[in-house]
Amino acid sequence: MRVLVDGDNVLRALEILRPAEGEQFLQRLERVAAEKDWDVQVVFDGPERFLRREQGILKVIYGKGRTADALIERMAYEAPDRSQVVVVTQDRAEADLVLGLGGHVWSPARLMEEMG
């Protein structure tokens, strides 16, 4: 399963405000991804503020002039099997687009449930 996380949206929803807390969340997500065989990409707007992860089961991506929403929507659209794509967001417009493409949408709370 491919999990695309709207990074800033999810961190705000989970009230993860400090960079150290965000890094802890990413490390935990990486462990869970390995256990559950998820391919996870966490996409952020703005400047880099977490450890770089360009390879492996969890990748951290920055918009670099494009919004996280635009990147996530493009990744979902280009996925070879959209039925295996899960987007984690609270953004209704983004969620509607992903659902329209045949993907799945989880709320940040659902992601936390899946993470145990």
Side-chain angles (χ1 to χ4, degrees):
M1 178 166 57
R2 186 172 185 196
V3 180
L4 305 175
V5 179
D6 188 343
D8 292 311
N9 182 285
V10 169
L11 292 183
R12 270 193 310 276
L14 297 175
E15 297 181 3
I16 297 172
L17 306 175
R18 289 189 237 137
E21 293 170 332
E23 189 58 45
Q24 289 174 344
F25 170 78
L26 291 172
Q27 289 172 6
R28 182 172 170 214
L29 181 57
E30 190 168 27
R31 284 191 303 274
V32 171
E35 292 168 8
K36 296 193 175 211
D37 198 28
W38 293 348
D39 176 25
V40 179
Q41 294 173 306
V42 183
V43 185
F44 290 100
D45 298 309
E48 294 185 22
R49 52 196 188 279
F50 299 106
L51 291 177
R52 244 177 214 269
R53 293 172 176 89
E54 296 176 345
Q55 297 179 1
I57 201 147
L58 183 135
K59 295 171 190 71
V60 175
I61 300 167
Y62 293 92
K64 297 181 183 174
R66 293 179 288 174
T67 66
D69 292 359
L71 288 172
I72 290 168
E73 290 164 3
R74 178 177 213 135
M75 286 184 234
Y77 176 78
E78 292 177 347
D81 183 357
R82 295 177 189 156
S83 70
Q84 293 297 307
V85 172
V86 174
V87 172
V88 183
T89 188
Q90 286 194 141
D91 184 311
R92 185 80 308 208
E94 184 176 29
D96 288 345
L97 186 136
V98 170
L99 291 170
L101 291 172
H104 305 275
V105 176
W106 290 350
S107 67
R110 167 79 187 272
L111 175 63
M112 294 306 290
E113 287 173 18
E114 294 289 333
M115 291 173 63

